[in-house]
Amino acid sequence: MKFLGFNKASWSFFFSSKSATSSPQVREDKKIPPSPEWHSEVGDASNKQSPPDAQSALFLYQPKHDYDFVENASVPQLKSENEVLLRTRVIGLNPIDWKGPAFNFGLPELPCISGRELVLAISTDYRDSRKGAFQEYSIAYDFNAARIPRHLDLNRCAPIGVGFVTAVMSLGICLGLDFSKMTESPGPDLLSIARSIPEAELPADTREETFRGIPLAERPKPGDWLAIWGASSTVGFLALQLAKLAGLRVICIVDAVKYGSLIVENGADVLVHRNNTGEAISIARAVTQDNLRFGLDAVGKETASLLQSILRSSEDENAPTSHLAGLTGLPKEHCPGVSHHKVPIKLFHERAEIGSIVSSWLEELLSANKLEPPKTLVHEGGLKGINDALQHLRSGECQAQRIVVPV
């Protein structure tokens, strides 16, 4: 394992199995010395340092138990040329970090190291414990890493990564939103990029959504309405901002008492209180004059079904289809003229041309102050304090805040 250089984000340093990347699909700017525009704990890339022999980490040995703190654990090893070893600086906690063990859901083979969010290596591959955030050193693909602008607080940026990727993939692939037409800080046309890749080269479970999902003629245009159920979640909050940057009009269905001010401040055109679902549906239908064709649900199957009932439904084969993206579940029943979409998240960490351009765009948006990070609550205690922090997260007392843990 050869040392490569100090990175340009929030980690003190990183290592790589090669001295430079030769793949044209991978961002070359990951391999250059740090810029004064980006966070860097150590400024001189010539100060080489060897990887440590051991680290501290949290292991999950069985469901329905806390994570166990282990000293002298093995440092994860690199397996490919596009991987880097990162020093964990700040961990962002995700609800799946407690829901997985509690409900034996979304867990890889045990024992495992969990954690989806660290600044700012974006881990959407939960099956690989080398990439888990709950350890002092973590592996990431270089095309899944993003730099943090120096003017931003590292703690504020810890929860962005997975939420941003999920929001971008939901809007850009599932709903077909073209970010390249934005007037400020334009992004990628992800659907066109993904469909330019030979289908056989994509992960098998992403091909249907990518190639036979939304027709090009039905993609949203500036001025179209998008409804987000659960806009107070990290994904929903970031999707709201991205949709507004792309020129859409957005209805946000949330607990307006708790989150209304935050959602309105970040661009919602219409705020609908979720507690009376019948009234919320009626308001959304009235505002869009029963012509809502795009919906994003960030909560679950029940709310996805409610959101589907707001979308325009028609048995006319010549009428444009409505499109519903569900992050954690989709309705069991289909309404006529409504298409369901699952997020092909694997494209981000299995296709370098997708991961690289999404990471690069995140850097641009943060640098230009076009993206407001979620509000955060700092929980001290490092790795040993994560179990307590997850209990706090599980209690629901954080409201619109995301818990982050400096390591």
Side-chain angles (χ1 to χ4, degrees), residues 33-56:
S35 159
E37 298 176 358
W38 310 101
H39 273 289
S40 177
E41 296 300 319
V42 184
D44 185 359
S46 65
N47 293 330
K48 294 179 172 53
Q49 186 171 348
S50 298
D53 295 325
Q55 65 166 348
S56 296

Side-chain angles (χ1 to χ4, degrees), residues 171-202:
L171 295 174
I173 301 285
C174 298
L175 302 184
L177 185 58
D178 184 357
F179 299 113
S180 70
K181 298 185 182 301
M182 292 165 42
T183 56
E184 297 182 15
S185 301
D189 180 357
L190 275 184
L191 188 60
S192 296
I193 294 171
R195 288 183 177 178
S196 70
I197 303 169
E199 182 172 350
E201 296 182 11
L202 295 185

Side-chain angles (χ1 to χ4, degrees), residues 35-85:
S35 159
E37 298 176 358
W38 310 101
H39 273 289
S40 177
E41 296 300 319
V42 184
D44 185 359
S46 65
N47 293 330
K48 294 179 172 53
Q49 186 171 348
S50 298
D53 295 325
Q55 65 166 348
S56 296
L58 292 184
F59 282 83
L60 182 67
Y61 288 99
Q62 54 184 317
K64 302 184 185 302
H65 283 73
D66 286 346
Y67 296 95
D68 288 327
F69 180 79
V70 176
E71 293 181 307
N72 296 318
S74 298
V75 173
Q77 299 297 304
L78 302 171
K79 294 183 178 180
S80 75
E81 290 188 336
N82 289 336
E83 291 184 343
V84 290
L85 178 66

Side-chain angles (χ1 to χ4, degrees), residues 187-231:
D189 180 357
L190 275 184
L191 188 60
S192 296
I193 294 171
R195 288 183 177 178
S196 70
I197 303 169
E199 182 172 350
E201 296 182 11
L202 295 185
D205 56 358
T206 68
R207 296 170 190 170
E208 186 70 21
E209 182 63 53
T210 302
F211 284 93
R212 287 168 288 281
I214 188 167
L216 295 179
E218 296 184 359
R219 303 175 74 175
K221 303 180 296 296
D224 284 347
W225 282 102
L226 166 71
I228 302 176
W229 201 302

Side-chain angles (χ1 to χ4, degrees), residues 14-300:
F14 62 76
F15 308 91
S16 173
S17 60
K18 59 180 179 177
S19 59
T21 179
S22 58
S23 170
Q25 298 176 334
V26 179
R27 295 173 50 200
E28 295 297 332
D29 62 357
K30 297 294 182 187
K31 309 301 185 207
I32 60 177
S35 159
E37 298 176 358
W38 310 101
H39 273 289
S40 177
E41 296 300 319
V42 184
D44 185 359
S46 65
N47 293 330
K48 294 179 172 53
Q49 186 171 348
S50 298
D53 295 325
Q55 65 166 348
S56 296
L58 292 184
F59 282 83
L60 182 67
Y61 288 99
Q62 54 184 317
K64 302 184 185 302
H65 283 73
D66 286 346
Y67 296 95
D68 288 327
F69 180 79
V70 176
E71 293 181 307
N72 296 318
S74 298
V75 173
Q77 299 297 304
L78 302 171
K79 294 183 178 180
S80 75
E81 290 188 336
N82 289 336
E83 291 184 343
V84 290
L85 178 66
L86 309 170
R87 171 67 183 271
T88 305
R89 301 296 301 177
V90 184
I91 296 170
L93 298 186
N94 190 299
I96 195 63
D97 295 332
W98 70 260
K99 289 182 180 180
F103 303 114
N104 195 14
F105 170 77
L107 297 177
E109 182 179 351
L110 300 179
C112 72
I113 298 176
S114 294
R116 264 65 165 183
E117 309 265 16
L118 64 154
V119 185
L120 220 181
I122 305 168
S123 177
T124 57
D125 185 8
Y126 71 90
R127 294 175 180 84
D128 190 346
S129 286
R130 300 178 309 135
K131 299 175 183 176
F134 295 170
Q135 54 188 328
E136 290 183 292
Y137 298 88
S138 179
I139 297 288
Y141 288 124
D142 53 7
F143 55 82
N144 286 164
R147 300 169 295 182
I148 306 292
R150 189 177 294 276
H151 69 273
L152 293 178
D153 180 19
L154 296 180
N155 291 331
R156 288 292 307 280
C157 295
I160 291 179
V162 174
F164 177 80
V165 171
T166 307
V168 170
M169 301 295 283
S170 301
L171 295 174
I173 301 285
C174 298
L175 302 184
L177 185 58
D178 184 357
F179 299 113
S180 70
K181 298 185 182 301
M182 292 165 42
T183 56
E184 297 182 15
S185 301
D189 180 357
L190 275 184
L191 188 60
S192 296
I193 294 171
R195 288 183 177 178
S196 70
I197 303 169
E199 182 172 350
E201 296 182 11
L202 295 185
D205 56 358
T206 68
R207 296 170 190 170
E208 186 70 21
E209 182 63 53
T210 302
F211 284 93
R212 287 168 288 281
I214 188 167
L216 295 179
E218 296 184 359
R219 303 175 74 175
K221 303 180 296 296
D224 284 347
W225 282 102
L226 166 71
I228 302 176
W229 201 302
S232 59
S233 68
T234 301
V235 177
F237 181 63
L238 296 173
L240 160 63
Q241 297 179 64
L242 294 173
K244 290 302 300 178
L245 287 171
L248 300 188
R249 293 181 289 177
V250 184
I251 298 176
C252 293
I253 304 167
V254 298
D255 186 330
V257 176
K258 291 182 179 179
Y259 311 119
S261 176
L262 176 68
I263 299 304
V264 170
E265 288 173 1
N266 284 277
D269 294 282
V270 177
L271 179 70
V272 179
H273 191 40
R274 73 178 186 194
N275 284 20
N276 186 328
T277 55
E279 186 175 275
I281 291 170
S282 297
I283 293 172
R285 282 177 173 169
V287 168
T288 60
Q289 299 178 345
D290 286 325
N291 198 35
L292 176 66
R293 291 186 47 242
F294 302 100
L296 173 63
D297 178 79
V299 183

